[in-house]
Amino acid sequence: ETGVTQSPTHLIKTRGQQVTLRCSSQSGHNTVSWYQQALGQGPQFIFQYYREEENGRGNFPPRFSGLQFPNYSSELNVNALELDDSALYLCASSYQGNTEAFFGQGTRLTVV
Amino acid sequence: DAKTTQPPSMDCAEGRAANLPCNHSTISGNEYVYWYRQIHSQGPQYIIHGLKNNETNEMASLIITEDRKSSTLILPHATLRDTAVYYCIVFTGTYKYIFGTGTRLKVLA
C-alpha cells in the first residue's frame, strides 16, 4: 500500500450538485495530481498542484477546481455535476512532480 | 494522446514469465518509460521505470531496446495476483502521465 489516502471511498451525488474529494499525500511528497478514470478507460489527467499552486491542467472545464494545503494535502472540487462525471477519481503524490507517483485507492463518484 | 501502443490483452500460465511489450517509437531522448499496473478498481501501482538501461527491482524487469523505440516488462514468475491491467507510459517529467488503454494480463492457473 502507498501512503496516499483518499476520502470518501464512494459517493453518490445528484446532477447539478457540487462535490469535494480529499487526498492526503505520502510523507515527503510535495506534489499532488488528480486523474479521472471512466469505466474501461485509462486515467485522464485533470491537474497537478505543487507547493499550493496549480502546475498544469488537462482538458477539463473550469468547474473542476482544486486546492493544495500547506501540509501538501489536496482537494478536488467539481461544481454543477453532470452524469458523465461519474468515474473513479484518483489522486497521486510525488516529490517535485518529476519522479514516480504513488496513487491512492480512489473515490468512486456516481452522479444520478 | 498516449505515446505508447500495447496489445489489449495477454494470457500467461501461473509460474511462467509474463512478457508485456510496449511500442513507443516517438520517444524523445529525455523521456522515461514508466510501468504501472491496476488491479480491478484499485489505484494504479508503480512497478518500474527506466531511461535507456535495463532495470530490475523486486517486482519486475524492464528491458528497453537500444533505439528506445520499444520496451518489455517482464514478470519473472507470474502469479494469479498479477492479473491486472498494465500501463506503459512515456513520461517527460513535466507533471502529467498520459495513460493509454493498457494490456489486460490474465494469469491462468
Side-chain angles (χ1 to χ4, degrees), chain A residues 14-87:
Chain A
T14 302
R15 189 172 50 182
Q17 284 188 315
Q18 178 266 343
V19 69
T20 297
L21 310 182
R22 295 179 174 84
C23 172
S24 293
S25 59
Q26 184 164 306
S27 177
H29 286 180
N30 56 15
T31 304
V32 172
S33 302
W34 287 91
Y35 290 80
Q36 179 195 66
Q37 186 173 24
L39 207 59
Q41 304 294 317
Q44 300 294 308
F45 175 75
I46 303 175
F47 44 55
Q48 182 185 86
Y49 279 83
Y50 171 64
R51 293 186 175 179
E52 302 179 59
E53 297 282 335
E54 188 178 288
N55 186 43
R57 189 178 182 93
N59 189 26
F60 281 81
R63 59 190 185 84
F64 285 78
S65 63
L67 283 174
Q68 187 180 33
F69 300 99
N71 66 354
Y72 304 126
S73 66
S74 178
E75 286 182 355
L76 164 66
N77 299 290
V78 187
N79 293 322
L81 284 166
E82 302 176 359
L83 297 179
D84 285 349
D85 296 333
S86 295

Side-chain angles (χ1 to χ4, degrees), chain B residues 7-98:
Chain B
S9 64
M10 293 180 64
D11 291 341
C12 176
E14 189 177 21
R16 305 296 295 270
N19 296 285
L20 292 93
C22 179
N23 287 320
H24 31 79
S25 58
T26 61
I27 194 170
S28 299
N30 63 344
E31 292 179 326
Y32 286 77
V33 179
Y34 275 69
W35 283 83
Y36 281 78
R37 72 181 182 184
Q38 189 172 26
I39 297 170
H40 182 64
S41 292
Q42 297 182 18
Q45 177 189 22
Y46 167 77
I47 301 173
I48 198 167
H49 73 279
L51 183 62
K52 54 183 178 181
N53 297 321
N54 298 337
E55 302 287 344
T56 296
N57 63 20
E58 65 279 3
M59 287 184 68
S61 295
L62 174 60
I63 309 298
I64 303 174
T65 57
E66 193 168 342
D67 63 8
R68 303 210 323 121
K69 292 185 177 182
S70 65
S71 61
T72 301
L73 178 74
I74 302 172
L75 308 178
H77 305 286
T79 71
L80 298 178
R81 288 184 296 180
D82 292 321
T83 293
V85 178
Y86 287 77
Y87 294 100
C88 168
I89 300 165
V90 168
F91 182 56
T92 63
T94 55
Y95 66 78
K96 67 177 177 180
Y97 292 147
I98 301 176

